[in-house]
Amino acid sequence: MKLMKTLLAATAILALAAGAAQAKQLIYCSEASPAHFDPGPTTGGNDFDASAHTIYERLVEFAPGTTEVIPSMAESWDISEDGLEYTFHLRPGVKFHTEPYFTPTRDMNADDVIFSFERQWKEDNPWHAYLEGMTWDYFQGMDMPKYLASIEKIDDLTVKFTLTEPNSPMLANLAMQFASIVSKEYADQLEASGDMAAFSTQPVGTGPFQFVDYQLDTVIRYAAFPDYWDGKQPIDDLIFAITTDASVRAQRLLAGECDIMPYPAPADIETLKADDNLNVMESEGLNIGYISYNTTEPPFDNPDVRKALTMAIDKSAIIEAVYQGAGQDAKNLIPPTMWSYDEATPADVYDPEKAKEMLAAAGVTDLTTDLWAIPVSRPYNPNGQRVAELIQADWAAVGVTANIVTYEWTEYRERGKQPDRKGPFMIGWTGDNGDPDNFFATLFSCSAIGVSNYSSWCNEDFEAAIQDAKAISDPAERTALYTKAQEIFKAEEPAITLAHSRVFMPMKKTVLNYHMSPLGSHIFKGVDIQE
Amino acid sequence: MAKGKDPHMLNYLLRRLALIVPTVIGISICAFAFVRVLPGDPILAMAGQHGVTPERYEILKEQFGYNLPIWQQYFDYLGSVLQGDFGISLATKRPVITEFLTLFPATIELALTAMFLAVIIGIPAGIFAAVKRGSWFDQATMGVALTGYSMPIFWWGLLLIIFFSGYLGWTPVSGRIALTFFLRPITGFMLVDTLLYGNWPAFVSALRHLILPAIVLGTIPLAVIARQTRSAMLEVLGEDYVRTARAKGLSPRRVVNIHALRNALIPVITTIGLQVGLLMGGAILTETIFTWPGVGKWMIDSIFKRDYVVVQSGLLIIALIVMAVNLAVDLLYAFINPRIRVQ
């Protein structure tokens, strides 16, 4: 027994000594393993956090905590009058990371920028398919092949992008993760050595943190990059402790095993808030939970029927019961933090009596319909089944019978986007780049029918407004057009705009200067730890 | 007896080996079919919230070979597997076998520790319960064993985390080692690696991380082994030769330890071997609860990602390993118990 005690004491001392010798360290309990470390082909928020926001940077960035586009690898840029030419002036003296597997011989330049896009764009680029079965989902999803005409090197520090047609969200697109600048010199080295796949597992970037090690499904280690152009980071080591279960993440934070975590389970938020050592940051999410009517299916093809059904729903009860204080009534498709949000839009009123009258006036009696419930918890809708049950009850009160249907998540979306789908379909969206176009055009343009326009709604006036807004770059003019689009949306009600959710980020009080990204990224540039 | 030339043993070995071929084919069909009856679509799962256009969907389908007839997909798969190629993960684009080999030591370490706990507690408890048959100890042990056997692993694991990690703060919540230790794997076995590095605090940390998951995973085997040992022991204690030994005036301890135990342990060894398959199943749940980076958690994550390739090859590899262990146990059993060979 005595020996045991001595051993334990010795261990404790050794452990303390080991701890004291450690550098300034920030441990982030992340929610999932990254697929790999190339931000071009990956699509998950966890993938981006692990590569795009630590190791890599882009021509332009979103300013911390906002969706405002600011200079990064490009110090400045000019946009031609016709909106077709974007000329970027690159920042001189930007270094790539020196790693055991790569030593850069030159600074970041125009060749790197061109390579970063051409590998995603040109099928004959040797890097276009360097991993088996790879796809460039965001490059495709943001319609880059449609808009890009050419990318040219003017000189080492000047690059010109020429577009096929004006597209004002382009600058915001270039701040997205897929547009990260990678090293052409490193790619050439790997190509020569024949180990191209290493590009995704042994990353080299220009970002604030450089890659140290990844133990599969366990931990990712980064170190502050000493030669970072914007100065070395205040923390020395950044560690991602991969912890998939939300409740276990909360337990680890409470036990002091990590400093900061994303996506707490709603049930854990009160406990985390009550802990004296923790601080739970929260912000408006750049998202929308909505329910798409199929506007080609009778009687939902009649806007009055759609408006009546929306009016029959007690949204405030849903928000209280399901979002539990983390939701906000959505009167527009875009969230209130986004520019061009139309404050003048009237909030949806809950009036079952009037709804009944409107349905009767439209000749709708004894309506029976399917109601699609999201099978998984999403940031914009934590419990689709519960939302569906509440709507089912509200609609029953006005004589509408709703049968709740649901499928496995990918299957659900696949069936939901069929133009002949029956019944209102619950879905949502989280913004990619902070541009209103990313909501309006992605979700309700005519060309998105069968892809992500779950309402199969194609309205001429709405379409004209959003397409015009995409082509001009003056924010005031664009705002006017998006305001018009929001008016049309409200008058036509192709979908019930349910709620925007709040996002929580629990962390130790010792974590300093963390900014919550409205785009849902987790970024540790500039973050410090109080010792 | 020259065991290598024993015709019965050789015959038995050949029969057992011949059975492997149809079993492997059966398992590969099951694994292949299993991932295809899962709802969901791997291409859509990869695409994220933007979805894919129908044209692009067709291109990707062709790229992954999902447009081919299902039997052709199976034979292509079987062909690759026979050449040792288990495919490339759809999500990470790394070879499945590489990922498996990276993660498998964590699972073995957990399973061996769990089995170790189950054996060192289960066998003595079973013996003692048998010797003191009908005593309060016997009844308590068997009651606890029955509870342990019936307990849902998931619930039991969370309960232990909340109590020992949350409330008492004695053990870490999850993981394999404290993150302050950064040791590149040598063998992949954390306890071994920390010792190879000569890092004693890291060893202690690894041990602390191992305790709760090993208890959770070891609970069911412990219960089974305790019950099996008790009944085997009771049977043997009633045999004539034990009575003879007693009548000769040998000490009770000698009777139990030398004469009874040796024979009673034969069925217990089989039981332990059979627990290996169950341990793999239990590891899936245990690893998920404790964020233990082994193959069990890897399989679960891959199912959620609809990573067909990982799920089907992972299932196949695990099944092959369980089969190999069962075969080894059978052979060991035949070796120690000659009656089996001629049956």
Side-chain angles (χ1 to χ4, degrees):
Chain A
M1 202 60 208
K2 203 170 172 190
L3 175 72
M4 195 66 190
K5 272 186 184 164
T6 318
L7 269 177
L8 277 174
T11 314
I13 292 166
L14 275 171
L16 276 177
Q22 292 298 319
K24 224 177 188 185
Q25 196 173 57
L26 182 81
I27 301 177
Y28 168 60
C29 270
S30 64
E31 78 279 22
S33 307
H36 53 75
F37 295 90
D38 185 343
T42 46
T43 56
N46 58 308
D47 299 322
F48 294 147
D49 291 339
S51 61
H53 300 306
T54 46
I55 300 162
Y56 294 101
E57 292 177 300
R58 292 137 291 279
L59 289 171
V60 289
E61 301 285 343
F62 298 113
T66 75
T67 55
E68 184 199 345
V69 175
I70 57 166
S72 180
M73 296 293 90
E75 270 186 323
S76 64
W77 54 89
D78 315 305
I79 303 173
S80 64
E81 280 290 309
D82 58 8
L84 290 177
E85 289 178 4
Y86 287 64
T87 309
F88 292 95
H89 306 286
L90 304 184
R91 187 179 298 278
V94 173
K95 306 261 183 269
F96 278 102
H97 305 147
T98 299
E99 293 281 3
Y101 42 85
F102 175 66
T103 307
T105 63
R106 60 165 177 81
D107 293 348
M108 185 274 306
N109 68 23
D111 295 328
D112 299 312
V113 176
I114 293 171
F115 171 69
S116 300
F117 291 94
E118 287 200 335
R119 70 189 188 117
Q120 310 193 44
W121 182 21
K122 309 275 179 174
E123 281 177 27
D124 58 357
N125 187 295
W127 289 85
H128 189 70
Y130 80 98
L131 296 173
E132 189 175 308
M134 76 186 302
T135 54
W136 304 93
D137 291 308
Y138 265 92
F139 189 80
Q140 296 282 342
M142 300 312 290
D143 277 338
M144 295 299 278
K146 177 180 152 197
Y147 289 112
L148 283 180
S150 67
I151 306 178
E152 296 158 78
K153 174 178 180 173
I154 306 296
D155 59 49
D156 261 2
L157 291 176
T158 316
V159 187
K160 187 170 87 181
F161 284 59
T162 306
L163 308 192
T164 52
E165 57 183 276
N167 178 33
S168 36
M170 182 54 81
L171 208 54
N173 288 353
L174 295 180
M176 286 174 63
Q177 298 90 350
F178 77 89
S180 295
I181 304 303
V182 299
S183 166
K184 179 162 194 316
E185 190 187 7
Y186 179 47
D188 288 343
Q189 176 190 309
L190 288 177
E191 200 180 334
S193 72
D195 184 17
M196 291 168 84
F199 200 81
S200 65
T201 53
Q202 299 188 318
V204 170
T206 61
F209 297 97
Q210 63 181 103
F211 179 78
V212 174
D213 186 65
Y214 172 42
Q215 286 176 17
L216 187 63
D217 290 351
T218 315
V219 56
I220 316 170
R221 290 170 195 275
Y222 308 89
F225 177 34
D227 299 324
Y228 185 52
W229 62 269
D230 202 11
K232 188 193 158 289
Q233 293 301 300
I235 51 172
D236 301 297
D237 297 319
L238 174 64
I239 297 176
F240 282 24
I242 299 159
T243 314
T244 41
D245 186 275
S247 296
V248 176
R249 276 202 299 282
Q251 285 294 334
R252 289 191 89 166
L253 182 63
L254 286 165
E257 289 177 25
C258 45
D259 299 304
I260 181 166
M261 64 168 274
Y263 309 117
D268 291 330
I269 291 173
E270 281 315 308
T271 318
L272 293 165
K273 278 185 175 170
D275 192 288
D276 285 343
N277 300 317
L278 302 182
N279 167 28
V280 180
M281 278 176 92
E282 50 184 288
S283 76
E284 306 289 340
L286 205 69
N287 60 41
I288 171 83
Y290 63 97
I291 301 171
S292 267
Y293 295 111
N294 183 349
T295 60
T296 60
E297 175 201 8
F300 306 103
D301 54 348
N302 180 348
D304 286 336
V305 173
R306 303 197 291 258
K307 280 193 266 191
L309 288 171
T310 302
M311 196 179 284
I313 298 173
D314 186 358
K315 276 168 53 174
S316 60
I318 294 177
I319 290 165
E320 202 181 306
V322 180
Y323 290 78
Q324 296 178 2
Q328 180 185 5
D329 181 6
K331 59 180 187 177
N332 287 311
L333 181 66
I334 56 173
T337 46
M338 185 174 265
W339 63 268
S340 84
Y341 180 80
D342 187 11
E343 290 289 355
T345 306
D348 293 319
V349 282
Y350 169 53
D351 189 343
E353 285 311 314
K354 192 167 173 214
K356 241 189 235 175
E357 284 168 29
M358 285 173 74
L359 285 174
V364 175
T365 48
D366 293 334
L367 174 63
T368 299
T369 177
D370 283 348
L371 174 61
W372 294 63
I374 296 191
V376 289
S377 173
R378 306 299 299 166
Y380 46 73
N381 187 337
N383 189 339
Q385 187 67 29
R386 187 87 188 101
V387 171
E389 286 163 8
L390 290 168
I391 292 177
Q392 189 181 40
D394 284 340
W395 281 355
V398 297
V400 174
T401 310
N403 300 317
I404 299 172
V405 290
T406 192
Y407 292 91
E408 183 279 331
W409 181 223
T410 49
E411 185 79 17
Y412 177 83
R413 285 178 295 166
E414 184 57 21
R415 287 175 183 254
K417 69 188 186 190
Q418 302 303 325
D420 60 352
R421 182 202 74 236
K422 301 279 179 242
F425 181 82
M426 199 182 293
I427 189 74
W429 182 255
T430 300
D432 293 312
N433 60 8
D435 196 287
D437 179 74
N438 182 239
F439 279 70
F440 291 114
T442 311
L443 306 178
F444 288 96
S445 66
C446 299
S447 61
I449 292 176
V451 182
S452 49
N453 181 342
Y454 295 94
S455 295
S456 294
W457 183 62
C458 180
N459 178 291
E460 225 171 86
D461 297 334
F462 179 86
E463 184 74 9
I466 61 169
Q467 294 303 342
D468 288 353
K470 185 183 267 193
I472 47 181
S473 54
D474 178 51
E477 284 178 58
R478 292 188 71 197
T479 299
L481 286 163
Y482 286 130
T483 304
K484 188 179 164 201
Q486 287 168 83
E487 284 164 7
I488 298 168
F489 193 93
K490 208 73 230 174
E492 289 281 320
E493 192 73 7
I496 308 165
T497 51
L498 200 58
H500 309 292
S501 77
R502 295 179 71 76
V503 183
F504 296 86
M505 192 78 186
M507 64 193 78
K508 284 189 192 161
K509 283 188 174 147
T510 50
V511 174
L512 307 173
N513 304 332
Y514 183 80
H515 294 277
M516 285 183 75
S517 151
L519 296 163
S521 305
H522 303 102
I523 301 173
F524 299 99
K525 180 179 170 179
V527 174
D528 200 355
I529 280 262
Q530 194 176 37
E531 284 179 315
Chain B
M1 181 168 68
K3 281 159 192 106
K5 286 177 187 159
D6 180 349
H8 291 306
M9 187 69 192
L10 188 67
N11 203 347
Y12 179 70
L13 185 68
L14 286 176
R15 266 188 292 142
R16 287 292 279 116
L17 284 174
L19 266 176
I20 287 184
V21 178
T23 317
V24 168
I25 291 177
I27 290 170
S28 68
I29 291 176
C30 287
F32 182 83
F34 170 71
V35 293
R36 273 154 188 81
V37 298
L38 281 178
D41 181 313
I43 295 174
L44 295 175
M46 270 189 289
Q49 72 168 0
H50 281 274
V52 287
T53 59
E55 302 83 59
R56 217 175 144 59
Y57 181 82
E58 290 307 318
I59 295 171
L60 292 174
K61 220 170 141 179
E62 201 177 310
Q63 205 174 337
F64 290 108
Y66 294 141
N67 57 332
L68 300 172
I70 195 95
W71 57 267
Q72 196 176 340
Q73 289 184 43
Y74 172 73
F75 283 112
D76 286 353
Y77 173 63
L78 192 65
S80 312
V81 165
L82 289 178
Q83 291 165 40
D85 174 9
F86 287 90
I88 304 274
S89 157
L90 295 178
T92 67
K93 319 292 181 201
R94 273 190 297 257
V96 174
I97 192 73
T98 311
E99 296 206 335
F100 180 86
L101 292 175
T102 311
L103 297 169
F104 196 47
T107 302
I108 299 183
E109 188 166 45
L110 175 59
L112 283 182
T113 314
M115 199 42 105
F116 176 71
L117 286 180
V119 168
I120 60 158
I121 302 174
I123 291 183
I127 294 171
F128 206 65
V131 174
K132 305 273 174 194
R133 186 181 186 183
S135 68
W136 67 268
F137 179 84
D138 180 25
Q139 282 165 3
T141 307
M142 288 307 109
V144 170
L146 189 64
T147 315
Y149 188 70
S150 328
M151 210 150 34
I153 287 191
F154 213 88
W155 176 80
W156 177 224
L158 286 175
L159 205 69
L160 289 182
I161 292 184
I162 291 168
F163 188 69
F164 287 104
S165 310
Y167 182 68
L168 294 175
W170 288 359
T171 52
V173 178
S174 68
R176 280 184 85 188
I177 190 165
L179 293 161
T180 35
F181 301 107
F182 175 28
L183 310 171
R184 285 181 205 274
I186 303 170
T187 61
F189 298 95
M190 201 58 93
L191 292 180
V192 178
D193 285 357
T194 50
L195 289 178
L196 288 177
Y197 278 109
N199 193 332
W200 180 246
F203 177 80
V204 172
S205 173
L207 201 59
R208 275 164 45 92
H209 281 78
L210 188 55
I211 290 173
L212 279 196
I215 289 176
V216 169
L217 185 58
T219 299
I220 290 179
L222 167 59
V224 173
I225 289 170
R227 290 171 66 85
Q228 177 70 44
T229 309
R230 177 180 177 270
S231 59
M233 209 51 197
L234 284 177
E235 198 181 317
V236 172
L237 286 176
E239 298 275 347
D240 289 347
Y241 69 89
V242 173
R243 281 203 318 222
T244 310
R246 281 206 181 114
K248 276 199 302 186
L250 292 179
S251 72
R253 177 172 290 191
R254 204 174 154 79
V255 172
V256 171
N257 286 356
I258 306 290
H259 293 269
L261 189 57
R262 273 194 181 175
N263 287 302
L265 278 186
I266 293 176
V268 175
I269 288 173
T270 317
T271 308
I272 293 173
L274 291 175
Q275 294 299 310
V276 172
L278 288 176
L279 272 183
M280 293 307 296
I284 289 180
L285 292 172
T286 312
E287 289 179 2
T288 304
I289 306 168
F290 288 94
T291 321
W292 189 266
V295 294
K297 184 170 160 297
W298 177 63
M299 293 296 292
I300 289 286
D301 290 348
S302 301
I303 289 173
F304 281 117
K305 283 187 272 193
R306 296 289 177 271
D307 197 330
Y308 272 23
V309 184
V310 168
V311 178
Q312 74 190 17
S313 291
L315 275 175
L316 186 60
I317 299 171
I318 293 172
L320 289 174
I321 290 171
V322 171
M323 247 169 57
V325 172
N326 282 347
L327 177 67
V329 170
D330 279 358
L331 294 180
L332 184 70
Y333 193 43
F335 182 73
I336 54 179
N337 188 356
R339 277 175 295 182
I340 297 293
R341 284 175 241 159
V342 280
Q343 272 169 16

